[in-house]
Amino acid sequence: MGLLRQGILGGFRKKTGSVVGAYWRTLDVIRGLPRSSGKAPTQAQKDQQLKFGLTTGFLSWISDLVFTGYKSMSKIATPMNVAVSYNISAAITGVSPNFTLDYAKIRFSNGKLALPDGMDVESLPAAKLKFSWLHADPDDKLLDATDMATILVYNPVKAKFVKVVNVVPRSAGTYTLQVPASFADDDVHCYISFNSLKKKELVSVSAHVGLVGVIA
């Protein structure tokens, strides 16, 4: 039974007949109950489900980065929905049903803030990764020395992530990240993005800096 919470002119909650009332993104909405078509999914639908599962299986572990990185991309869809849509089209490779993620093309952030030049990552002893980039002060209104770096490392062998958010300013030019000792001898994917402290929701794209082996 549906419940009228604000009188006859207000929204309602739960199921009433063939419709369901809900509160979504500050709006009272009504949607019809889904109908079963009785038809088997097409191959295209199966392929899309496989791609969706691969993409969400990766991005859901870094949903906080996705929220920041795609928040400005749409005022209607959620940041995760926008990120999933982008990465399905850009970062899925292979032939059905053997789809895989192209980790070098994944973006957990997508914005207009400029990335620095000369981005690199170097593996150091004791399971450390040294990220570096060039810092300059060009005449660019969308770039500032105080922009903060966010770093992500993904180990596909162990299906584990290491992330540090807003860890150093752009002006630092470098950051050394300690990863777990258990990552030794594994190849890891390394990413970096930047967030503005001066302009709300201004972010860069996330860049795949490299695939490196972790040294014990």
Side-chain angles (χ1 to χ4, degrees):
M1 178 178 70
L3 301 176
L4 291 170
R5 297 191 182 278
Q6 298 177 345
I8 191 66
L9 299 179
F12 72 90
R13 304 289 181 268
K14 301 185 180 180
K15 177 182 175 184
T16 296
S18 61
V19 297
V20 176
Y23 187 72
W24 177 80
R25 297 178 73 85
T26 74
L27 300 174
D28 287 300
V29 298
I30 299 173
R31 61 176 182 267
L33 293 173
R35 296 180 180 180
S36 175
S37 66
K39 297 180 181 179
T42 65
Q43 188 59 50
Q45 290 171 328
K46 291 180 181 179
D47 289 348
Q48 190 68 6
Q49 290 171 358
L50 288 172
K51 294 176 181 179
F52 182 84
L54 277 172
T55 307
T56 57
F58 185 94
L59 295 179
S60 62
W61 290 100
I62 52 171
S63 58
D64 56 332
L65 303 187
V66 170
F67 179 80
T68 299
Y70 283 84
K71 187 177 180 180
S72 65
M73 296 293 290
S74 175
K75 300 303 181 182
I76 299 176
T78 67
M80 180 60 76
N81 285 345
V82 178
V84 168
S85 178
Y86 171 82
N87 284 285
I88 283 178
S89 64
I92 296 288
T93 188
V95 178
S96 177
N98 300 313
F99 295 117
T100 59
L101 284 172
D102 185 341
Y103 295 113
K105 295 182 179 179
I106 285 176
R107 283 188 184 176
F108 61 80
S109 180
N110 220 339
K112 296 181 179 180
L113 183 63
L115 284 170
D117 294 326
M119 294 181 294
D120 194 17
V121 60
E122 177 187 3
S123 188
L124 303 177
K128 295 180 179 180
L129 300 173
K130 182 180 180 181
F131 290 78
S132 59
W133 55 91
L134 299 178
H135 172 63
D137 291 311
D139 184 17
D140 188 337
K141 294 181 180 180
L142 297 181
L143 186 155
D144 192 85
T146 63
D147 297 336
M148 299 300 290
T150 289
I151 290 171
L152 174 71
V153 172
Y154 176 61
N155 184 333
V157 176
K158 295 182 170 60
K160 289 186 176 181
F161 296 85
V162 176
K163 61 184 177 181
V164 285
V165 179
N166 292 343
V167 64
V168 292
R170 183 190 293 263
S171 58
T174 185
Y175 180 76
T176 299
L177 176 66
Q178 177 72 63
V179 299
S182 61
F183 281 20
D185 300 323
D186 293 342
D187 291 335
V188 296
H189 292 273
C190 302
Y191 307 82
I192 191 169
S193 69
F194 288 82
N195 305 323
S196 173
L197 292 182
K198 294 190 173 182
K199 296 181 182 293
K200 185 179 179 181
E201 297 184 9
L202 179 60
V203 300
S204 74
V205 300
S206 60
H208 183 271
V209 186
L211 175 66
V212 298
V214 177
I215 303 172

